[in-house]
Amino acid sequence: MRVEQFGLAVTLLMGVAAVGLSSCGQKQESAAAPSVDDATAFVAKAETDLANMSEYAGRAAWVMSNFITDDTEWLQARAGAEANAMASTYAKEAARFDGVDVDPVTRRKLNILKRAIVLPTPAREGAAQEMATISSGLDSAYSTGKFEYKGMPIALDTAEEILRSSRDPAEIKAVWEGWHSVAPPMKANYARLVTLANEGARELGFKDTGEIWRSWYDMEPQEFAAKTDALWEQVKPFYDNLHCYVRGKLNEKYGDAVQPATGPIRADLTGNMWAQQWDNIYDIVAPAGAKSSYDLTRLLTANGFDAQKMMKAGESFYSSLGLAPLPETFWQRSLLTRPRDREVVCHPSAWDIDNKDDIRIKMCTRVNAEDFDTIHHELGHNYYQRAYAPQDFIFRDGANDGFHEAIGDFAGLSAQTPTYLNQIGLLKTIPGTDEDIPILLKTALVKIAFLPFGLLIDKWRWDVFSGVTPPEKYNEAWWDLRLRYQGMVPPAARPADAFDPGAKYHIPGNTPYTRYFLAFIYEFQFHRAACREAGWQGPLNRCSVYGNKAVGEKLNAMLQKGQSRPWRETLAEFTGENDIDASAILDYFAPLNTWLTEQNRGRTCGW
Ligand code: X8Z
Ligand code: ZN
């Protein structure tokens, strides 16, 4: 099983491992160097064990995420401990074959095995269980977190709804602070988990856990860190432009006392709990006098869409590209709305339970534009999982984790165009070119606003893992990064015990995050290439590849490869480009960037 994005203890990057059996009968104790046959036998056994373990741990995790109780937490922790211990054991043992002259496929598998784990466990007795118990506890603390508001306990989804729609700065601040009050009890456990994972990482020969995370990209870890910095430098001027424009509009709306005209933006005013995407405040930042003839949320509501119908629409987008429909079990086993009678993990996720075709989605869908996009995102994971299922177990994953996140977003780029909404009958008339700037602005509030956030989460974690940021500096370092990269500040000084990173799913969930930063770059490369393939002539923001079988075929070829080949090669086959490159996202938004520069004339940008 591979669950995209979640982060329970069972999450391993490239699949889940099998138990710590003693290295498939090799003679570790003898002095004889392992042979090529030993290496291939080791890999074969690892793949069988890992595949079995992955299904077992996956089912336990599924049950826990769908029904959070003391008991399911316990069961999930037990299975997660076994899975992580097995992955760590195989990672260690894979290194024994470093000097063996094996064939390239086996070599690639061994290289993957050596680093295929998010939170490595130390070998000593009890460590894996302690880590898994903490992981499950953090996950459930986040997912069941509530705070009191107006005398009522409220959960994250209600809090998000208030941030989305309220324009009262006092109310927004109270709800933002309320949700962040859920996190302080997580801090000590989180710090303990970091210590243990680092101990495990050192046993595998890495400096710390962050170095493992940076080692997943067919290049040296330090080269990868430099690559992400270079990509950020490419897009930063555009982000600064958007920040400047939005800050000006917030200042006009709320006045100097709430949002000053200069300096950083007050994070809670962005319509999003983490200020990671700002499309919920489009009404505040919309260009003066610009007409915007449709609103996707309203179209969905007016056309009687519910979670099921939204998911069906998502499926039909992929079907139009020639991909086979979802299996019947997808509809029977997925969880598409928040149940009333029990606690669940609401953060959206896509699951691959049996490494064949038991694919599922779990999300508490709401009928709005954001979740319409999320549905395409999650389905992208499922179609990827199903396409690479025939690969050997170790290769059943994305070309890298950024690819896994980018596939559904790539579909979403077509599926949110007025061109497509018109094709499927939701939108009666296609808006004219005078709406291009409003449409691009709406999209930039999702895609450009996200970039610094996508980068900084793991910058924070890399420093936490390396010890540069000790627990007493967790919150300070968090806000230093949020200020430096995003230009954001909290609504008021934070309490001494605050643990604000814990209020974002992927921190207690231990889901690596640079993958999303990469995805937001890749998806525009995929989109540009697919639109070229489709012979699209107009602007990229109008291009929909809906119904294009040639694009579907190329996409499927990429998906089927899984991670059997280095990601640059897979990228080149789909796009003709052999490196990750921010020019596609910049191309897509070029007219908006020119327009923003114009709008910002006379303003002092930056913070
Ligand atoms: O976590 C997710 C997906 C599941 S892989 C819903 N995303 C990130 C987030 O919500 O923070 C998608 C965009 C970024
Ligand atoms: Zn995802």
Side-chain angles (χ1 to χ4, degrees), residues 350-369:
W351 299 60
D352 169 15
I353 293 284
D354 65 353
N355 300 299
K356 291 198 276 290
D357 62 359
D358 189 348
I359 45 180
R360 312 172 187 179
I361 282 175
K362 186 176 59 55
M363 65 183 279
C364 304
T365 315
R366 296 144 305 184
V367 181
N368 61 31

Side-chain angles (χ1 to χ4, degrees), residues 231-267:
L231 288 165
W232 169 240
E233 286 309 318
Q234 250 185 301
V235 295
K236 184 179 186 312
F238 190 179
Y239 177 77
D240 289 352
N241 238 352
L242 184 66
H243 179 281
C244 191
Y245 172 78
V246 167
R247 181 182 62 194
K249 289 288 189 181
L250 286 171
N251 174 255
E252 280 169 29
K253 165 89 183 166
Y254 291 116
D256 291 345
V258 173
Q259 176 58 64
T262 57
I265 291 176
R266 210 182 100 173

